[in-house]
Amino acid sequence: MTRHWSFAFSWRWGGYLAVAIVFAVVCGFLSNWQVSRLHEKEQIQALVDRNWSADPVPLDEIVPDRTTFDDSHEYQPVSMTGEYLVDDQVLVRNRPRSGKPGFEVITPLRLDSGAIFMVDRGWVPTGNEQDHPDSIPAPPDGTVTVVARVKPGEPELPGRSASGDQIATIHLPDLASRVGGDSYTGAYGLLVSESPEPSDARPLAAFQPEVNEGMHLSYAIQWVIFALLAFAFLGYAIRQEYRLRNADDPRVRESEERRERKRREKRTDADVEDELLDSVR
């Protein structure tokens, strides 16, 4: 019987096996990459959950250098005291919320130290008749204690611009140039609370982010299945060539007939009924 399979040890089939192995290795790398992406997103969500509910600490403890920011502190609540610079307040365009267009309200806060920290006080909807809010809730007057969750600034977006009191992105160096003075350019804050409370209702506070884990696990499993299918197809192709090469051999023919009889014996009543229905159509 060994001689019937001798063709499978040829250079041709060795080459096919090498291709299948290379394909399986590539699938393995891609599967591992998908698992790595899933772990990255899980770590990001864990960071958000941990920092979002943490107790506030002084701003200087988390952002000691105004020009840099440690991403591991993102969404950590910090406390600071100062006075809002309402005249330098700006609106960030194109900030939808729950499917509605609107703006983020960025109000600079001059701290007791004299440095300026940008505070995102929340979201307001676009006006009914103009590309501008109908009203913007005013922050508290005078000295105010603010708790905010720190975030890194956003990158500058080429080709996107705005005019007047509107900006296209929270690019902190640009905001610093508008206000002047020693501004924080490494981080800004999402407002949590103000003391004293403002007389007007605050803009809507930011949602806690939920990282979408996506289909990474499913894709990882699919790549493993593709790798296994490569070897299954190789085995099927070898089996088909074996049948063709040995079609005239009585022993091979008898073996195939036994295999076919066993397959037929395993048929269910439903299979028989389907065959009968097919035969009369």
Side-chain angles (χ1 to χ4, degrees), residues 81-96:
T81 302
E83 183 176 355
Y84 280 119
L85 305 178
V86 181
D87 291 341
D88 294 314
Q89 180 172 275
V90 295
L91 301 172
V92 190
R93 297 176 54 84
N94 299 320
R95 299 290 162 139

Side-chain angles (χ1 to χ4, degrees), residues 32 35 54 60 76 98 135 148 177 183 224-225 231 235 241 257 270:
N32 186 66
V35 172
D60 290 344
Q76 164 69 47
S98 302
S135 63
S177 66
S183 298
V224 173
I225 292 174
F231 292 105
E241 182 162 338
E257 289 174 354

Side-chain angles (χ1 to χ4, degrees), residues 50-230:
R50 180 176 64 253
N51 288 349
W52 191 271
S53 57
D55 294 330
V57 297
L59 174 63
D60 290 344
E61 290 186 13
I62 300 299
V63 192
D65 183 351
R66 293 195 297 270
T67 62
T68 61
F69 181 67
D70 183 349
D71 289 339
S72 66
H73 295 309
E74 187 170 5
Y75 297 114
Q76 164 69 47
V78 296
S79 60
M80 64 204 91
T81 302
E83 183 176 355
Y84 280 119
L85 305 178
V86 181
D87 291 341
D88 294 314
Q89 180 172 275
V90 295
L91 301 172
V92 190
R93 297 176 54 84
N94 299 320
R95 299 290 162 139
R97 181 187 174 106
S98 302
K100 298 180 180 179
F103 302 83
E104 298 287 340
V105 182
I106 306 293
T107 310
L109 180 72
R110 188 185 299 279
L111 306 179
D112 291 342
S113 64
I116 298 172
F117 187 80
M118 305 297 171
V119 178
D120 184 343
R121 298 192 65 242
W123 181 89
V124 291
T126 300
N128 294 322
E129 299 181 357
Q130 73 283 332
D131 187 19
H132 196 277
D134 288 334
S135 63
I136 303 174
D141 293 329
T143 301
V144 58
T145 298
V146 171
V147 175
R149 294 186 171 93
V150 289
K151 284 193 64 178
E154 299 175 354
E156 189 174 14
L157 300 178
R160 290 187 58 182
S161 60
S163 59
D165 64 346
Q166 298 184 13
I167 58 175
T169 181
I170 306 175
H171 188 238
L172 295 176
D174 286 347
L175 285 172
S177 66
R178 284 172 171 259
V179 179
D182 295 327
S183 298
Y184 281 77
T185 56
Y188 72 103
L190 302 177
L191 181 63
V192 176
S193 66
E194 296 166 319
S195 180
E197 289 285 338
S199 56
D200 296 335
R202 277 179 41 195
L204 296 180
F207 293 124
Q208 179 176 349
E210 292 186 5
V211 180
N212 183 5
E213 294 184 356
M215 302 290 290
H216 295 296
L217 182 58
S218 296
Y219 292 152
I221 295 173
Q222 287 178 13
W223 282 117
V224 173
I225 292 174
F226 290 156
L228 296 175
L229 286 176

Side-chain angles (χ1 to χ4, degrees), residues 25-41 213 215-217 219-221 223-224:
V25 170
V26 172
C27 289
F29 277 118
L30 291 172
S31 177
N32 186 66
W33 177 75
Q34 291 289 350
V35 172
S36 297
R37 292 284 294 135
L38 175 62
H39 288 165
E40 287 175 6
K41 290 189 175 182
E213 294 184 356
M215 302 290 290
H216 295 296
L217 182 58
Y219 292 152
I221 295 173
W223 282 117
V224 173

